[in-house]
Amino acid sequence: MLNSAPMAKINTHYEKLKAGYLFPEIARRVREFSSLRPDAKIIRLGIGDVVLPLPKSTREAMKKAVDEMAEASTFRGYGPEQGYDFLREAIALHDFGARGVKIHADEIFISDGSKCDSGNIQEIFDGASRIAVTDPVYPVYVDTNVMAGRSGEVDSSGRYAGIVYMPSTAENGFSPALPQEKVDLIYLCSPNNPTGTVMTHEELKRWVDYARAQDAVIFFDAAYHAFINNPELPHSIYEVEGAREVAVEFRSFSKNAGFTGIRCAFTVVPKELTALNRSGGRSSIHALWNRRHCTKFNGVSYPVQRAAEAVYSAEGQREVAEMIRYYMENARIIREGLAALGLKVYGGVDAPYVWVKTPQGLGSWEFFDLLLKEAHVVGTPGAGFGPSGEGYFRLSSFGFRENIEEALHRVKSRLSGAALR
Ligand code: MLT
């Protein structure tokens, strides 16, 4: 008999995570409210989940692919882990080639989501890498580094000791300063979730130059690029010279083509991107990401990849543009409606999120409660995206028009004028 039997122990880094992941925590609070007020008709503008049905072109392509799977002669089993060439080539051509950016099809890795990819990318870098995030930020970037043991402990303001936070607030025009200390991995998101602001070419160049000078790597999340209206704004970090040596880019079909429930995204890892290895030489990030992808992932299903390919057909492009127009009109209604009530609003012009300064110095969660209780409208508290998000609130334009209009009507009629200024 063993006296000191080994015991299964958990990864202690998980104990450093804040209570729950943001969106399930919001859902929990809304369920709690609903159970007390079952009569309340709640309008959800919290999580950025699409509501419009899948474009016809993508449905048709998916159905055709399913039918192919029904015949022995056209049936397909495991596909290439990195994705089928037909989709990788369509992406290289339409998303990059058309903007004068050279990305090769084999630098594109098809996956089931940008959330997973932006969360997983850190694991091929050293455990001691110093990470920098803009603050507020999509919580996945921070939480996955906490899980990996790079964060240290959290303080009472919600900051982890080992993470470099770059405040991004109205005071600096949501354009954070470069870090003062040496960092290795930098997370950038443009159009930004949650602030709805977009980096200009000059701003992006500043980051690329910085990363090149510091031998740092940028993780560039462009999941919302399709919502950019202003033709002057860059869609891809590779529009900046020199970015191929320092950046990984994440893209998704979730928000532009309504694939949140279908799952398809991709990550671009240029062949020139390298980082120091333990022998003091340099290793290819492309090769390592490929190694990881093939080990942990078996590819996106064939019908889904055919559906994603259809997004690039003439009909698909027309349908997607129409959906984006619909959501961006929602964004305009939210933005202008709240501004008319005296609130300070940001974003929502080249991004589907409207970032609102909470009135009366209310905390983000206080404003969340006020809006839920009085107007039965759900948004996302800015503090959930990081300490500098405190005092802000995010509203998503991914809703049906009548709900957006009703939400604004309720805010106007149920929250007194004084409560909003
Ligand atoms: C959000 O609301 O921030 C997004 O829907 C989250 C996500 O895409 O994972």
Side-chain angles (χ1 to χ4, degrees):
M1 196 166 122
L2 296 169
N3 353 353
S4 57
M7 281 176 289
K9 289 190 183 156
I10 58 143
N11 175 349
T12 56
H13 302 307
Y14 274 63
E15 294 180 70
K16 298 173 192 157
L17 288 166
K18 284 170 221 160
Y21 184 63
L22 176 60
F23 294 105
E25 173 59 18
I26 290 172
R28 189 190 65 72
R29 291 185 186 220
V30 174
R31 270 196 311 275
E32 202 173 277
F33 176 76
S34 285
S35 68
L36 300 172
R37 291 287 313 272
D39 58 308
K41 288 202 171 36
I42 292 173
I43 297 177
R44 292 178 164 78
L45 303 178
I47 190 164
D49 196 4
V50 293
V51 294
L52 296 177
L54 281 181
K56 184 156 179 276
S57 55
T58 65
R59 293 196 314 265
E60 304 278 303
M62 208 178 323
K63 282 189 214 160
K64 184 161 169 279
V66 170
D67 286 343
E68 284 176 44
M69 299 294 251
E71 300 290 332
S73 59
T74 47
F75 172 79
R76 300 190 189 219
Y78 289 127
E81 291 88 346
Q82 303 84 351
Y84 285 102
D85 285 345
F86 62 78
L87 179 55
R88 301 170 90 193
E89 280 161 14
I91 292 168
L93 181 68
H94 296 280
D95 275 343
F96 297 100
R99 295 190 64 81
V101 175
K102 207 158 177 53
I103 292 293
H104 302 278
D106 68 354
E107 294 174 317
I108 294 166
F109 293 82
I110 309 297
S111 77
D112 60 351
S114 284
K115 179 181 188 176
C116 324
D117 287 354
S118 63
N120 289 326
I121 191 76
Q122 48 75 27
E123 73 178 53
I124 60 174
F125 292 87
D126 190 71
S129 306
R130 188 97 167 133
I131 80 146
V133 292
T134 54
D135 170 27
V137 75
Y138 181 41
V140 168
Y141 314 152
V142 170
D143 284 6
T144 51
N145 278 286
V146 174
M147 291 169 179
R150 290 195 188 89
S151 68
E153 298 294 337
V154 71
D155 68 16
S156 57
S157 73
R159 287 179 180 80
Y160 288 95
I163 291 179
V164 175
Y165 292 84
M166 304 180 288
S168 175
T169 58
E171 287 69 38
N172 61 17
F174 302 99
S175 177
L178 297 168
Q180 294 302 304
E181 55 200 288
K182 168 82 183 103
V183 298
D184 307 304
L185 306 174
I186 303 161
Y187 291 81
L188 299 178
C189 177
S190 179
N192 191 266
N193 178 11
T195 66
T197 46
V198 186
M199 292 167 85
T200 62
H201 194 276
E202 292 66 40
E203 283 171 314
L204 215 42
K205 181 173 176 340
R206 184 171 66 113
W207 283 103
V208 168
D209 291 348
Y210 174 83
R212 291 176 68 86
Q214 299 287 323
D215 197 11
V217 173
I218 296 173
F219 301 139
F220 186 70
D221 189 344
Y224 299 95
H225 82 94
F227 295 85
I228 295 176
N229 280 313
N230 181 344
E232 301 296 314
L233 293 169
H235 286 232
S236 167
I237 194 163
Y238 306 117
E239 289 176 43
V240 175
E241 212 186 312
R244 287 180 59 86
E245 286 87 15
V246 291
V248 171
E249 182 165 307
F250 306 100
R251 295 265 186 121
S252 171
F253 294 96
S254 283
K255 313 290 161 101
N256 60 337
F259 274 35
T260 54
I262 298 290
R263 312 304 309 150
C264 196
F266 60 93
T267 289
V268 182
V269 190
K271 298 262 179 67
E272 290 90 328
L273 179 61
T274 61
L276 267 185
N277 59 32
R278 62 180 173 172
S279 327
R282 300 197 66 93
S283 293
S284 157
I285 303 302
H286 182 279
L288 289 170
W289 184 247
N290 188 53
R291 180 72 172 84
R292 186 214 167 270
H293 207 65
C294 295
T295 306
K296 296 195 173 183
F297 189 62
N298 255 342
V300 172
S301 78
Y302 173 65
V304 166
Q305 292 194 57
R306 280 294 185 199
E309 180 194 26
V311 167
Y312 298 102
S313 65
E315 183 57 7
Q317 288 289 285
R318 196 194 56 72
E319 291 177 292
V320 163
E322 202 172 302
M323 296 204 302
I324 291 172
R325 259 199 306 278
Y326 181 93
Y327 291 130
M328 291 311 291
E329 174 62 8
N330 286 349
R332 186 194 64 77
I333 293 170
I334 298 174
R335 207 165 28 84
E336 293 181 3
L338 294 181
L341 294 176
L343 287 163
K344 280 212 169 63
V345 290
Y346 307 93
V349 177
D350 292 294
Y353 296 123
V354 179
W355 190 238
V356 187
K357 183 88 192 99
T358 56
Q360 306 270 31
L362 287 177
S364 300
W365 283 103
E366 284 176 307
F367 191 62
F368 172 88
D369 287 335
L370 180 75
L371 218 57
L372 179 58
K373 286 193 185 116
E374 302 300 326
H376 307 159
V377 171
V378 180
T380 308
F385 296 100
S388 299
E390 181 54 276
Y392 289 92
F393 196 74
R394 193 193 77 176
L395 285 169
S396 156
S397 66
F398 295 112
F400 289 115
R401 180 69 42 78
E402 57 272 27
N403 287 342
I404 302 283
E405 283 167 348
E406 171 64 15
L408 277 162
H409 169 71
R410 289 188 201 166
V411 171
K412 194 172 170 181
S413 58
R414 300 191 196 169
L415 270 68
S416 80
L420 291 180
R421 284 198 191 89

